Amino acid sequence: MAALSVITLLLTAFTIVFYGYLFKKTEHSVSFFICVEMFAFVANLCTITAGSWMIAILYLIVSAAFLGIGFAIDTRQTIAFYCGMGGWFKTTFTNTALIGWRVLSLLLPPAGVVLYFVWYKEKKELSHECGKMAIWGVLLWLVMIWLILGMISGLTPLPETV
């Protein structure tokens, strides 16, 4: 069940990205879906911490339903999102000049912040990429620490009080 919670967490994060794309590209209001998914993301982390694995099924159903509702909101932009993913992966992972610095800044956010300030005047593009990936790295580390500590505390039994 812990694996289901982690899979649901990843699907919820993907759904947030999907509705963020729709928010930028369509005239339809999708803020409700973004808010619900952000709540589901945090609630999923909290239920992992509490060891309530069964509620992850509810979060999984909501995220899957919201991905389907995206087609009803704007079919053309939803198809554009899924078609554009291949191009994004290609440009992100084939840019050999930046990929090493991106990975370093993502995995070690303090290094990304330092590189941002060191290269701010000379190498603007590289500086901005390192800074952006450092911000994502901080978020990634916070979520991973919360997830790991939550899973550890969710698996250990609470001490009995008299």
Side-chain angles (χ1 to χ4, degrees):
M1 290 306 286
L4 177 67
S5 294
V6 173
I7 291 168
T8 302
L9 195 68
L10 293 173
L11 181 65
T12 305
F14 178 77
T15 308
I16 292 170
V17 171
F18 168 66
Y19 276 102
Y21 175 84
L22 284 182
F23 181 77
K24 282 181 76 172
K25 299 290 184 177
T26 186
E27 303 88 33
H28 303 289
S29 177
V30 294
S31 56
F32 168 77
F33 299 105
I34 294 173
C35 291
V36 169
E37 285 299 313
M38 290 172 76
F39 173 76
F41 187 81
V42 173
N44 195 6
L45 284 171
C46 291
T47 56
I48 289 171
T49 303
S52 304
W53 311 108
M54 291 304 292
I55 199 161
I57 294 171
L58 175 67
Y59 301 135
L60 180 69
I61 291 168
V62 168
S63 293
F66 279 9
L67 286 175
I69 291 171
F71 281 99
I73 291 173
D74 195 339
T75 306
R76 189 174 53 84
Q77 289 300 332
T78 300
I79 292 171
F81 171 76
Y82 288 115
C83 291
M85 285 173 44
W88 179 82
F89 276 106
K90 183 178 180 184
T91 58
T92 300
F93 295 110
T94 59
N95 189 348
T96 56
L98 295 179
I99 189 71
W101 298 113
R102 285 178 177 164
V103 170
L104 175 70
S105 299
L106 180 70
L107 297 178
L108 299 171
V113 171
V114 168
L115 290 172
Y116 173 77
F117 286 112
V118 167
W119 289 332
Y120 183 72
K121 293 198 186 241
E122 297 119 22
K123 303 175 182 178
K124 286 258 189 212
E125 181 185 357
L126 186 56
S127 167
H128 288 288
E129 283 296 320
C130 289
K132 185 171 40 171
M133 294 310 288
I135 292 169
W136 282 111
V138 167
L139 291 173
L140 177 71
W141 277 102
L142 289 174
V143 168
M144 292 303 294
I145 288 171
W146 189 354
L147 178 67
I148 291 168
L149 291 177
M151 290 183 82
I152 290 171
S153 69
L155 294 174
T156 58
L158 295 173
E160 293 184 26
T161 57
V162 179

